[in-house]
Structures are given as structure tokens and as C-alpha cells.
Amino acid sequence: MAQNNNNTKEFRPFIAADKVLPEFTKTSFLLGILLAVIFGAANAYLGLKVGMTISASIPAAVISMGIIRGIFKKDSILENNLVQTIGSAGESLAAGAIFTLPALYIWTTQWKMGSPSLLTITLISLIGGTLGVLFMIPLRKALIVKEHGVLPYPEGTACAEVLLAGEEGGEKAKTTFLGLGIGAIYKFIADGFKLFPSEIETPIPGYKGAAIGGDVLPALLGVGFIIGPQISAYMLAGAVIGWFGLIPLIDYIGSMGKIIMYPATVPISELGYWGIWDSYIRYVGAGAVAFGGIFSLIKSLPLIIQTFKDAIKDYSGGIGGKATERTDQDISLKLVLIGVLVIILAMMMLPIIPVGFVGALLIAIFGFFFATVSSRIVGLVGSSSNPISGMTIATLIITAIIFKATGNDGKEGMIATLIVGSIIAIIAAIAGDTSQDLKTGFLVGATPKKQQIGEIIGVVASGLVIGYVLTLLNEAWGFGSSELPAPQATLMRLVIEGVMGGNLPWTLIFTGMGIGVAIELLGLPVLPIAIGIYLPIHLSTPIMVGGIIRGILNRKLAKNPDQEQMINQKIDTGILFASGLIAGEGLVGIILAILAVLGIDLVLGIDLGQIGSLIFFGILTYLLMKFSVLKKV
């Protein structure tokens, strides 16, 4: 592969432009769709539980290499690249959808309107995803080609490295599948057969109101390993503020008399720590998350403005004549413009998407702006640092103000505002994913046009399923419950209700914002700590266990730079195993939701208690160590 330098004319991809290999095949099409649905559904479950999702590009590439090479005995890097392109679109669409759409379910339950229309949810997902891809296409030449060597696109580059090291595909795929199988079986034993409780907890003796616990589940352990010790520790720090600080304090105040504090309707002394978390701490956490989201957007503003200027300046780079080289062909700009116009006009006219003329116009403006910003920001700092929540909050506030000023308030105005925000969140997530995938394709020598079609296929496959997944999970456990806290969506709901004049416990929200300011002044990242405050401590403790295992390897790497290659191999294997654990649990979580809705009970009647939970989680932790710290390389 050529050197990474700024002179793109010297760059030569791994597969030369004049070489034609199998790329858009029946295998890559079907396997990509399957992975888009699997990773989309698993990430929806994970995001609703812990407020974060994982990138699917590398696991999808590894699984693809294992299947295409291992089963079909074929060997095309471009085919594998197209599979991960289609597959990762499902994960990104789910990430955008779970940020906002669960709020619609919470409202319709509160207002006794039944579940939201599946068709509406599906159309929101398809519109957001398709616009995200279309808005990014004209930016490809400017951001991916011209800025090669300037914008690193970390996830896209890492995925290209995995594809280029394809000869290890079989072994790596085996690790991912093993993780998936173990994660699935464990989840089934814990939450299907209920052989042991998947949530353990104990009050802290002598400290009334304080408690510690853990959801001893594979996905949380896997997330901890992937995000590493630092972010895991930030999340746990937030949980400690809530469960060792605020909850005991409120409990102590409540013990002084029959104090009823809004939004609870019973005295504090009757609530217990779960009741206090549900009635008060979630609002404090939401305030901190809102501050973190908005402040990250404010901090990114200079970068956003510069990005937008650069992109607009370079937009002409995407409007050149017809490309002749295979590696320089995009979907034609005429088709892109027609597609965007048709979608915007459809939103203006179709009552099933109740945003009206103003809402459709706002989606066109904000969508174009944030797709442009998102595509470049992920190139600079990576997808995990893309301030999607900040972009969505800003969209919701401006949209809610405009709708209120034009008399479109009340329930209809709130739903229209949320739909605008949902589509923008999905646009930003998909535009970021598309640019990472096109960077991977640029490095390996893929055909951009085929990748862009692949992105749209992934969006459609995942978009057709996501509505069913959300409705199913809501019917099984309910969004906003301790099983599925849905942190971002709850926050987006509060933002809209606040602007539209809802009766919110503002003191609690401002308390959270105050904590956010203090965290920012300490120079620490607000969002992971804020999410830790919002979520029960039971989610942060197992994440910390996974983070510690990754921390052991990080420390070894710092102490033994001469063993860098070996330690990095252990980290990579651990990440693939952890990704498998997450996907396995996510899929079984959805199967169990189907069984719960159908009223099918799998409980065996044997309960090993909390000791059993600790033993099983200990075995799971050992297995993660076996595939990372203890792996022989």
C-alpha cells in the first residue's frame, strides 16, 4: 500500500483501479444484509441499556472473511469490504434511532395513545439513513481523496488494516463467533432459564440509602474492554456520585418527616434507593448529559464552522465530470439531488410523517449541515467523538422554539419536533459511518459507487427491522425502565417538554448541569461521567471489570514498548471476542423480548442465587482474559 502523504496522485490503493475483482456479489449482498440486521438489532438493545453503541465495521469484516474464505473458499478483499459497508450501516442507523425514537413510545404510553405507528418509525429510519448517505456522496472526493494524509479517519483506516491482514481472517472470525456463542448461551441461562439472577445488589451496612450492585452480563463486560479503563472509570465515578452521594443524601432528608418532593407522589421515606433513582437521580443525570452534549457542541463550534467552510469550498470537488477510473466512480450528482428533493417533498406532503412544510425544510437545512460536519469530524477525531447528542439537542431546541412560535405546540408539536430530531440524529450517524466506510474502500481499492449503493442497502435492511425491534423491546420491558433506561431518548424528551412548557423538575435538572460544570472545570470529559450518574450503578460496575482487563494490557504496553506488536494482537483479539459477547447478548435479548411478549416462560425453577451469579460472571471474566491477557501469541 502506498505511503500516506498529501499528494493523492501518488497514492495507489491495494487493489489497483484497472483490476476488477468480485465486489457486489450475491454473497456480499446477502451476508451484508444479515449482518446489518444483526448488528442493528444488537446495538439497539445495547444502546437502550447503557447509552452507547459499538462500531460494527471490524467485527463485520472479520465475520465476512471467515465465512467467504472459510465456507465459500473465495478470496476477494473487495467482497469482504462491501459486506462490512452494508453491515456497519445497520449499527449506525440503530445508534441514531435509539437516541430519540424511544421518547415517542414513552409519550404514547403516557398519553394512552397505544404504540407509535410501525410505518412512521420505519419511514423516519429510512429517510434519515438515506439522506445521511446522499448528503455525504458529493463530499467523498473532497474529504476522502483530496484530504488523504490530513484526515486520518481512525475507524476506517483500522478496518482497512484488518481487511489487508486478511490471511488471519479464519482465526479472528472463530474468536468473534465464539464470543457470540458464549454471550448468547450465558444470556439465555441467566435471563431465559433464570438459573441465577443477572442483577445482584446489596445495601451498604451503616450507610442508609447507599447500595452497590452489578448486572453480571456479557455485553457490559465486553463494552468495558472495548472502551478501556479510563472511560469505564469515568462512568463508575458518575455512578458513585449518584449511588454513594445523592441517593443517601435525599434518603436522609426524607427521613426527617413525611416529605413529598415532585416528581414523586409518595413520601421520600417510602421510596427506597430504586425509587429515589427513578424519581430524582435520572433528572440530575439528564441535566448533566444535556450540559455535556451542548458543551461538546459549543467546544466543537470552531471546528464545525471551519469544517463547513472547507466542505462547501470543496463541494465542487464532488461535482466534476464523469469519472472514468473504477476507484473514482460515485452515484451521479443528478441522482443524489433528485433523491434528496423527492424525500424532502414526500415529508412535506405525507401525513404519516407529521412534520409539515416547516419541519421538512428544517430537516433539509440541519441535515445537510450536520451531515457535512459529521463526515469531517469523524475523519479528524473518530466516530466515538462525534457529538451527535449535542447536534440533536441543538436541533430539538431550535425546532421546538420555531414550532411553538408558529402555534404548532401541544402533543402534535412535540411529536413533530421529536421526528425532526430523530431524522437529524440518524443523518449525522449514517454520514459519519459512510465516510469511514468510504475511507476503508479508498485504501483497499473499492468502487465508491458500489459502496454507496451498499450503504443504502444496509440502511433499508436495518430500517425495515428497527421499528419491530423497538416496539418489541418496549412491549417486553418498557423504555425508561431499569431494564432499558434509554438515557439519550429520555433526555431528548425532557428537552422538548421543557421548551414546549412541560412541568419539569428544573431544580434537579439544573443540579445535574451544575455537576456538569464542575466536571468540565476539573478538565474531565462530562458525557461519560454524566451517563454514569444517569444509569444505575449496576451497569457501571461490570463495565469497569471489562475496563480493568483492558487496563492490564494497556499498562503492559506502556511498560514494554518492545513487545508492542504482541500486546496489540492480544488487545485486537480481546476486542473481537468482546464484540461477539455484545452481539450474542443483544440477539438473545431480542429473542427473550419476543418470548416475553408471547407470554412464553422458560424459567426452570432452579435459582443458584447471587453466589451463582458471581461464579458464572467469574467464568465469563476468565474467558475474556483467556482471549486477551492470557492469550498465547
Side-chain angles (χ1 to χ4, degrees):
M1 195 161 57
Q3 294 291 304
N4 269 17
N5 55 42
N6 294 353
N7 188 349
T8 55
K9 283 180 184 169
E10 286 180 30
F11 178 79
R12 290 284 175 270
F14 183 70
I15 303 295
D18 56 359
K19 194 173 177 188
V20 178
L21 286 179
E23 190 169 3
F24 205 116
T25 63
K26 199 187 292 178
T27 307
S28 61
F29 175 76
L30 294 173
L31 190 53
I33 285 176
L34 181 67
L35 293 180
V37 171
I38 288 173
F39 281 108
N43 256 321
Y45 174 80
L46 180 72
L48 290 163
K49 197 165 179 71
V50 294
M52 59 177 71
T53 56
I54 57 143
S55 171
S57 293
I58 290 175
V62 165
I63 289 170
S64 167
M65 287 188 289
I67 291 174
I68 287 176
R69 178 169 298 148
I71 297 172
F72 295 108
K73 307 295 180 199
K74 294 198 288 181
D75 191 13
S76 167
I77 191 170
L78 301 188
E79 218 173 347
N80 288 319
N81 178 57
L82 200 78
V83 172
Q84 73 80 19
T85 299
I86 299 171
S88 64
E91 165 261 323
S92 295
L93 186 130
I98 57 108
F99 259 56
T100 45
L101 289 174
L104 201 52
Y105 289 84
I106 294 169
W107 277 337
T108 52
T109 304
Q110 274 181 359
W111 301 336
K112 298 187 169 45
M113 290 166 64
S115 272
S117 154
L118 263 176
L119 183 59
T120 302
I121 299 290
T122 303
L123 285 173
I124 289 167
S125 305
L126 293 177
I127 286 167
T130 308
L131 285 176
V133 178
L134 295 179
F135 281 142
M136 199 277 143
I137 289 170
L139 296 170
R140 186 191 68 86
K141 285 177 183 165
L143 297 181
I144 310 293
V145 182
K146 286 186 183 175
E147 303 247 24
H148 178 62
V150 179
L151 297 174
Y153 283 99
E155 287 92 345
T157 304
C159 189
E161 292 300 330
V162 167
L163 286 166
L164 292 168
E167 57 273 11
E168 302 162 39
E171 190 57 42
K172 287 185 171 182
K174 216 179 284 175
T175 304
T176 310
F177 278 121
L178 202 61
L180 196 146
I182 289 167
I185 293 164
Y186 185 104
K187 176 75 173 172
F188 224 97
I189 292 169
D191 287 343
F193 298 145
K194 296 201 183 295
L195 195 61
F196 57 89
S198 60
E199 183 176 282
I200 57 173
E201 68 177 24
T202 177
I204 294 173
Y207 189 18
K208 194 170 176 300
I212 189 161
D215 284 8
V216 287
L217 290 168
L220 302 175
L221 189 71
V223 165
F225 188 88
I226 289 168
I227 64 177
Q230 195 70 74
I231 296 173
S232 300
Y234 289 143
M235 284 185 71
L236 185 59
V240 167
I241 291 170
W243 287 73
F244 290 3
L246 299 174
I247 293 177
L249 178 65
I250 293 169
D251 188 85
Y252 175 69
I253 292 165
S255 69
M256 293 178 181
K258 279 200 120 182
I259 301 165
I260 298 175
M261 186 167 77
Y262 181 79
T265 53
V266 297
I268 293 170
S269 55
E270 293 176 22
L271 288 173
Y273 45 76
W274 274 113
I276 292 170
W277 171 78
D278 189 38
S279 298
Y280 307 120
I281 304 307
R282 290 199 304 163
Y283 290 101
V284 175
V289 172
F291 172 81
I294 293 166
F295 202 76
S296 73
L297 189 69
I298 292 167
K299 282 200 291 189
S300 305
L301 267 181
L303 176 64
I304 285 170
I305 292 162
Q306 191 55 48
T307 291
F308 198 66
K309 279 183 187 168
D310 291 348
I312 294 300
K313 208 186 297 172
D314 282 340
Y315 230 93
S316 56
I319 313 176
K322 197 172 183 187
T324 50
E325 282 203 324
R326 179 185 63 78
T327 53
D328 205 28
Q329 292 170 359
D330 292 296
I331 291 176
S332 81
L333 198 74
K334 190 160 73 173
L335 267 180
V336 169
L337 290 171
I338 290 168
V340 170
L341 279 172
V342 166
I343 291 170
I344 301 298
L345 288 170
M347 283 191 291
M348 286 178 180
M349 294 185 288
L350 289 175
I352 194 81
I353 307 162
V355 294
F357 177 81
V358 176
L361 204 60
L362 289 169
I363 288 167
I365 295 163
F366 283 125
F368 173 70
F369 179 67
F370 285 132
T372 306
V373 167
S374 185
S375 298
R376 192 180 175 95
I377 281 184
V378 300
L380 279 170
V381 292
S383 297
S384 54
S385 303
N386 193 5
I388 293 174
S389 61
M391 296 177 193
T392 310
I393 292 168
T395 302
L396 290 175
I397 291 170
I398 296 166
T399 306
I401 290 168
I402 291 170
F403 279 170
K404 199 175 179 187
T406 54
N408 187 9
D409 50 8
K411 290 174 185 176
E412 290 77 16
M414 287 160 76
I415 288 171
T417 304
L418 185 76
I419 289 173
V420 171
S422 298
I423 292 172
I424 297 304
I426 295 168
I427 285 173
I430 287 287
D433 174 67
T434 302
S435 51
Q436 294 284 12
D437 289 340
L438 288 173
K439 179 67 172 186
T440 305
F442 177 72
L443 295 171
V444 301
T447 313
K449 184 178 179 177
K450 288 178 180 174
Q451 276 194 283
Q452 290 152 4
I453 294 166
E455 288 284 349
I456 292 169
I457 289 167
V459 160
V460 171
S462 183
L464 290 172
V465 171
I466 197 79
Y468 291 97
V469 171
L470 291 176
T471 302
L472 185 70
L473 293 173
N474 183 55
E475 283 182 20
W477 296 298
F479 297 138
S481 63
S482 58
E483 174 68 30
L484 294 173
Q488 281 95 346
T490 306
L491 165 65
M492 304 309 168
R493 182 189 118 223
L494 292 180
V495 168
I496 298 169
E497 286 177 0
V499 177
M500 292 288 195
N503 188 14
L504 288 178
W506 285 108
T507 304
L508 295 171
I509 290 166
F510 287 135
T511 301
M513 288 184 159
I515 292 170
V517 172
I519 294 165
E520 186 61 46
L521 289 172
L522 289 169
L524 298 171
V526 179
L527 275 173
I529 300 174
I531 287 173
I533 296 171
Y534 178 88
L535 295 171
I537 195 168
H538 304 62
L539 299 174
S540 298
T541 44
I543 287 174
M544 190 71 237
V545 175
I548 289 168
I549 296 171
R550 174 70 178 271
I552 294 167
L553 287 170
N554 289 2
R555 185 163 284 193
K556 277 187 180 177
L557 190 59
K559 280 186 180 174
N560 308 294
D562 54 313
Q563 295 176 18
E564 183 181 356
Q565 192 181 353
M566 184 188 79
I567 296 167
N568 277 334
Q569 267 185 281
K570 290 184 173 193
I571 291 172
D572 291 347
T573 310
I575 287 172
L576 290 172
F577 184 74
S579 299
L581 289 179
I582 291 166
E585 183 187 328
L587 291 175
V588 171
I590 287 157
I591 292 167
L592 293 178
I594 294 169
L595 297 176
V597 169
L598 294 174
I600 297 169
D601 192 354
L602 299 173
V603 180
L604 294 177
I606 303 164
D607 187 356
L608 301 176
Q610 298 201 15
I611 298 293
S613 306
L614 289 170
I615 290 168
F616 270 87
F617 192 67
I619 294 167
L620 191 68
T621 305
Y622 168 73
L623 286 170
L624 178 57
M625 291 185 74
K626 190 172 184 291
F627 282 93
S628 54
V629 179
L630 306 174
K631 183 163 177 66
K632 289 179 173 64
V633 177

